[in-house]
Amino acid sequence: MIDLRPVGYVIGLLVAVLGIAMLLPMLVDLAEGRDHWPVFAESALLTILIGTIIALSCQNGVREGLTIQQTFLLTTGVWLALPIFGALPFVIGATEARFVDAFFEAMSGLTTTGSTVFTGLDEMPKGLLLWRGILQWLGGIGIIVVAMVFLPELRVGGMQIFRTEAFDTFGKILPRATEIASRISVIYVALTLLCALAYISSGMNAFDATVHAMTTIATGGFANYDASFGALPPAASYVAVLFMILAALPFVRFVQLSAGTAQPLMRDTQIHAFLITAGVIVCLIAVWNLWQQNGSGEGAVRVALFNTVSLMTGTGYASADYMQWGSFAVTVLFFTGLIGGCAGSTACSIKVFRYQLLFASIRAQIQKTRSPHGIFTPRYAGRAVSEDVLNSVMSFFMFFTVTLGLLSVGLAMTGLDFITSVSGAASALANIGPGLGDQIGPAGNFSMLNDTAKWLLAGAMLIGRLELMAVYVIFTLQFWRA
């Protein structure tokens, strides 16, 4: 029987911390003289109380380390519990949202997906806008810790190849997680502050700069306006591009850089592949826009650069309705969202390193076919890749494809059209944000979807953010028998 007390203890503490974070938007509404501050006061009191009770009731079961089963349950349990409490301000707030909408918004925020069901953001109380930004900011730093500490140990989706990069944590997950999180937190906060200052210098007001800095560094994509970046100064797009790219790089490289070692950052093949791929796609879309006269000069290049980087990093901002750019551009941008950023970053989707491993494996297989008696080993960053890493990566691609297909069918069964079903499934599973079409495309949102579709998409956000198998494994009998 698995002892759930260590899991409950950590979840309880994190729920309480989430409740404390609700005090910030409460203070903003108080400073604004709005009467919405009791919403956050009530939500904070309830969240802190329940989180503290859970933590205290499970405290006697805390040990130094976690078993593999407990770690799987913790990674999934945290991302399931926090959106429930994160939805409270939306349920009892000025939006008067139903729980399905509030949960969808909170899940989208904490998983840094960026899909929204809310309209009228321009008139929404600043406290709720800040809360959306806080959810994504907390989710961003949380997923970095999960990607660097837990997933490599759980051997999920080929992440074990980064075990040495994320420090040796086996058997001591919680103590080492605290050490790693403290180092990353400093970098994360510093990047957020720099991004906010850069936004202010581009013409944003202080509040917009703060919220957008949170959602940019988290590669989340929540904006303060229905038109997203279309309502902001053009110079802000260039600031966003810079920091979206930085947030999509492995944060362990920033830790090494802050320690005076720049060589790992400069030699990381994953970073090289990410930057080259983004550059090629940006050039392709920019040339297409100029050819098709979707804008002219600097404007066409800017929107191509901004929207391509936004989709590739999974941020999900939009500065233009790229559905109007023609089928070629829409197709390219759809698959761009399925590339993703680097492992150990706030970026989402499949991740660049998996494609590198996939192509290395394909190349080795072609060489073996051509020379049956030769020995060809797939290599990554100059190192031979073990069989278990390759199997894990191939399993990830298989599970991603199957899940995408089943989710698309499930959404279609709720009455959605083909484009909305497929793009919505891809958007949620890869945590991209906007989908395709008039309904959930860059000019729309997810508010008009039926409740069943919203629940399915919220579940897909969770599954995709935790690299699929970290969630699927807890539904197997072998997991509970172990």
Side-chain angles (χ1 to χ4, degrees), residues 68-307:
I68 293 297
Q69 289 88 349
Q70 289 169 337
T71 307
F72 273 113
L73 290 172
L74 176 61
T75 53
T76 302
V78 166
W79 255 262
L80 185 60
L82 294 185
I84 294 175
F85 291 93
L88 291 180
F90 299 127
V91 173
I92 62 180
T95 58
E96 297 180 354
R98 297 174 303 137
F99 182 74
V100 59
D101 293 322
F103 181 81
F104 181 98
E105 194 79 2
M107 179 65 79
S108 179
L110 284 163
T111 58
T112 69
T113 302
S115 304
T116 183
V117 293
F118 292 152
T119 56
L121 297 176
D122 306 53
E123 305 300 325
M124 185 174 285
K126 285 188 176 180
L128 287 174
L129 292 175
L130 178 60
W131 181 237
R132 295 167 81 242
I134 289 174
L135 284 175
Q136 293 208 320
W137 194 79
L138 293 175
I141 193 171
I143 202 62
I144 296 175
V145 174
V146 169
M148 293 184 62
V149 181
F150 295 102
L151 296 184
E153 294 302 331
L154 300 178
R155 309 170 75 82
V156 169
M159 289 295 293
Q160 61 266 38
I161 198 174
F162 297 107
R163 176 177 291 175
T164 56
E165 300 289 352
F167 310 98
D168 183 17
T169 60
F170 187 71
K172 300 179 181 179
I173 289 178
L174 285 180
R176 296 296 287 174
T178 303
E179 180 182 343
I180 295 171
S182 65
R183 297 183 186 183
I184 292 175
S185 297
V186 175
I187 304 295
Y188 194 75
V189 172
L191 283 175
T192 305
L193 291 175
L194 287 174
C195 185
L197 292 174
Y199 274 140
I200 291 174
S201 67
S202 73
M204 281 192 192
N205 61 57
F207 179 77
D208 284 343
T210 300
V211 174
H212 286 87
M214 288 181 172
T215 59
T216 299
I217 298 302
T219 59
F222 276 164
N224 289 348
Y225 303 95
D226 289 333
S228 190
F229 263 68
L232 296 171
S237 295
Y238 292 110
V239 174
V241 167
L242 172 62
F243 284 94
M244 283 189 291
I245 290 175
L246 290 176
L249 304 183
F251 270 67
V252 68
R253 300 306 183 202
F254 295 137
V255 174
Q256 294 166 332
L257 183 64
S258 65
T261 307
Q263 196 174 49
L265 177 67
M266 304 303 294
R267 291 188 174 182
D268 194 324
T269 59
Q270 183 183 197
I271 295 177
H272 298 165
F274 168 72
L275 294 177
I276 292 172
T277 302
V280 169
I281 297 175
V282 167
C283 291
L284 193 64
I285 297 298
V287 170
W288 173 263
N289 280 349
L290 291 171
W291 183 41
Q292 295 292 314
Q293 297 183 343
N294 296 320
S296 60
E298 181 271 340
V301 175
R302 185 182 70 250
V303 295
L305 172 66
F306 178 86
N307 290 281

Side-chain angles (χ1 to χ4, degrees), residues 337-418:
L338 297 179
I339 297 174
C342 301
S345 70
T346 61
C348 52
S349 197
I350 293 176
K351 303 287 194 311
V352 170
F353 86 94
R354 291 196 177 95
Y355 287 103
Q356 290 178 287
L357 291 173
L358 175 64
F359 294 147
S361 179
I362 292 174
R363 179 182 179 186
Q365 289 298 323
I366 291 175
Q367 290 174 325
K368 287 180 181 179
T369 302
R370 187 175 61 235
S371 304
H373 301 294
I375 299 177
F376 303 98
T377 304
R379 306 186 72 84
Y380 177 82
R383 297 175 297 177
V385 181
S386 63
E387 193 70 23
D388 68 319
V389 171
L390 290 176
N391 289 338
S392 186
V393 170
M394 298 307 167
S395 297
F396 178 88
F397 275 105
M398 182 195 71
F399 274 103
F400 188 91
T401 303
V402 172
T403 303
L404 179 61
L406 292 177
L407 182 60
S408 300
V409 172
L411 291 172
M413 290 176 66
T414 69
L416 303 183
D417 62 82
F418 176 78

